[in-house]
Amino acid sequence: MTTLDTWATGPSVQMIEVVASMARGPVFLAGEVMECLITFTNPISHLSTSASSEMLAWASAQIHCQFHASESRVALPAQGTKQDVQAESDTVLIPSRGEGGQCMLDTPPKILFCDLRLDPGESRTYSYSEVVPNDGPPSFRGQSVKYVYKLTIGCQRVSSPIKLLRVPFRVLVLHGMPEPPFPQDEEVAPSNPFLEEEEGGRRDDRPLERALDMLTITSRRCPHLFNITNMRGKVAKFCIFKTVYRLGEDIIGTFDFSEGDIPCIQYSVSLQSEEEIQQGYQRRPGQSISVTGHGRHLESCLHTASTHFSLPVPLNVTPGFSTDIVTLRWRLHFEFVTSREPMESHNVLQNQPEVTVWTGAEHVDVDTFSWDLPIKVLPTNPALTSYVSQFTGTNSINI
């Protein structure tokens, strides 16, 4: 009787621990190389009186993106009925097995090993690397649709069902990023045995370096001036220093009310994203756009000559993008409350001997109006967004 017969049928089956850890963190730019270390361990339990070698038939890994849609807002083409049962004799890795939604894309599976034998207390670590697809959407959790990326590791014992270990991660997409001019594994310079590792590291980092170079456009400032008016006249002059921002940057704008004809009592600025389903996929014709707020500045500004606001772009939001199904845009939403009548300011004299109390008007007739300013939100260095990611880049399973 072989060792496989013992653990396949007897009660003393020793569980093998599988741990997957992404070396650099759980956030990547599309086109980057993702690396993950996968460790298989046959642990020795202090409760067991005997230990034996354990065998795994095979293990492989691949990336996939899962798409989820709200049935009340998105009308998708009818899908054929699919069975979602993994047969015990099946040796094909299907990364989206058991998950809801649709698999939008997946990379070719890579075999980690075949017929792995682990002695008691022994561990084996395998390195998985893959280029995050350039042609996919970014990670996104909206009100109508979701795009979720996962690295799936499939493992199987002999005559046992496949076990899946999933490690979710986040993908940022920078549109307009050029394709790599050379294949990933092709040498781009004469071979130098003393610089082999350094050159290899530079070659792997090149997509990230190109992306960061492209993002330097957001550091260029070019003031934009706007006259804020309503039907009664000029309210203020607004200045914003740029309209393209990276994740984590502060949006700064200034108001000059000194040149206004209409008194402004209060204003607010909100950072908002607009999620619009493409017309061909809308559940109802002309359905509304989903608007989500990501920060708001509110200020009372009566008798204020000038003021400013600062709104940070959160690191955990999704930059603007567009697919066949959904478009995500960004904007600043302004709301103003103005007086219909002139408001007299209270001037304090320099030599005024007595203390005076100024009381605001009990009733003021006001007008309200709003204005939307489109802006662009781009990705940033993935290492920065990893600090606030809901994912850890690590997961484990016992098989």
Side-chain angles (χ1 to χ4, degrees):
M1 182 173 62
T2 65
T3 304
L4 289 177
D5 293 331
T6 301
W7 61 255
T9 59
S12 59
V13 176
Q14 178 69 30
M15 304 300 288
I16 295 178
E17 182 184 47
V18 185
V19 178
S21 179
M22 295 178 178
R24 205 205 60 199
V27 184
F28 300 88
L29 275 171
E32 254 194 296
V33 176
M34 185 196 73
E35 295 183 352
C36 184
L37 298 178
I38 306 164
T39 301
F40 299 82
T41 304
N42 181 9
I44 300 178
S45 174
H46 67 279
L47 299 177
S48 61
T49 58
S50 62
S52 60
S53 298
E54 301 293 338
M55 298 244 350
L56 285 174
W58 60 268
S60 66
Q62 67 184 118
I63 296 171
H64 77 283
C65 175
Q66 204 72 6
F67 168 72
H68 305 265
S70 168
E71 295 183 357
S72 62
R73 297 188 59 84
V74 182
L76 296 175
Q79 296 288 323
T81 304
K82 298 181 180 179
Q83 292 187 355
D84 199 18
V85 178
Q86 182 77 58
E88 292 192 2
S89 59
D90 195 351
T91 59
V92 177
L93 171 61
I94 303 177
S96 59
R97 179 76 70 185
E99 293 197 302
Q102 302 177 16
C103 183
M104 296 292 293
L105 63 84
D106 53 9
T107 59
K110 291 187 177 180
I111 301 297
L112 301 177
F113 62 78
C114 291
D115 296 331
L116 173 64
R117 182 187 183 94
L118 292 174
D119 293 329
E122 184 181 5
S123 294
R124 293 283 187 87
T125 299
Y126 298 86
S127 177
Y128 169 83
S129 63
E130 182 63 87
V131 176
V132 179
N134 261 323
D135 55 350
S139 298
F140 177 60
R141 292 181 176 270
Q143 299 185 35
S144 301
V145 302
K146 296 179 181 179
Y147 295 104
V148 182
Y149 281 84
K150 295 180 182 180
L151 168 63
T152 298
I153 299 103
C155 316
Q156 187 176 34
R157 290 179 183 262
V158 177
S159 301
S160 298
I162 295 175
K163 299 295 184 180
L164 301 179
L165 170 61
R166 294 189 173 102
V167 186
F169 63 97
R170 182 184 179 191
V171 172
L172 301 173
V173 175
L174 180 58
H175 297 285
M177 181 173 169
E179 294 289 338
F182 299 97
Q184 179 188 351
D185 57 351
E186 182 179 341
E187 292 293 340
V188 296
S191 177
N192 187 330
F194 301 101
L195 298 176
E196 180 177 359
E197 294 184 2
E198 181 181 353
E199 290 295 336
R202 290 179 181 176
R203 193 163 56 250
D204 291 342
D205 292 341
R206 190 167 292 128
L208 178 58
E209 292 175 358
R210 289 199 307 272
L212 296 180
D213 288 342
M214 290 181 62
L215 289 173
T216 57
I217 189 175
T218 64
S219 63
R220 302 173 185 171
R221 292 194 172 191
C222 180
H224 300 266
L225 297 176
F226 301 89
N227 288 320
I228 309 299
T229 62
N230 64 5
M231 63 182 66
R232 300 180 185 274
K234 183 176 179 180
V235 177
K237 179 181 291 184
F238 173 65
C239 175
I240 192 169
F241 300 102
K242 57 182 184 177
T243 57
V244 181
Y245 300 89
R246 287 179 292 177
L247 298 180
E249 278 196 287
D250 290 333
I251 302 173
I252 299 175
T254 62
F255 287 99
D256 182 1
F257 296 103
S258 62
E259 301 180 5
D261 304 321
I262 308 300
C264 186
I265 299 175
Q266 179 180 280
Y267 79 91
S268 67
V269 187
S270 301
L271 176 61
Q272 297 178 341
S273 60
E274 300 175 298
E275 179 186 354
E276 181 179 12
I277 302 301
Q278 308 290 12
Q279 187 173 1
Y281 291 92
Q282 293 181 2
R283 178 64 66 180
R284 298 176 303 278
Q287 70 185 29
S288 61
I289 297 174
S290 300
V291 178
T292 303
H294 302 276
R296 184 169 183 254
H297 176 90
L298 176 66
E299 184 175 345
S300 297
C301 55
L302 183 61
H303 306 315
T304 299
S306 62
T307 186
H308 74 280
F309 69 88
S310 178
L311 280 175
V313 181
L315 284 168
N316 59 351
V317 300
T318 301
F321 73 97
S322 182
T323 68
D324 293 339
I325 299 176
V326 65
T327 295
L328 184 73
R329 293 183 294 266
W330 287 86
R331 71 184 187 185
L332 291 176
H333 179 72
F334 297 81
E335 294 182 355
F336 299 91
V337 179
T338 59
S339 172
R340 294 182 179 178
E341 301 293 337
M343 303 286 291
E344 295 184 1
S345 61
H346 181 73
N347 297 320
V348 180
L349 302 177
Q350 292 183 355
N351 300 323
Q352 185 169 323
E354 299 180 2
V355 176
T356 60
V357 178
W358 180 78
T359 303
E362 295 183 358
H363 178 77
V364 178
D365 292 328
V366 299
D367 293 316
T368 61
F369 66 98
S370 62
W371 172 52
D372 292 324
L373 175 63
I375 62 172
K376 289 185 179 180
V377 174
L378 301 179
T380 189
N381 192 321
L384 297 177
T385 59
S386 294
Y387 291 112
V388 298
S389 175
Q390 61 177 322
F391 306 130
T392 63
T394 302
N395 206 356
S396 62
I397 190 176
N398 291 322
I399 60 174

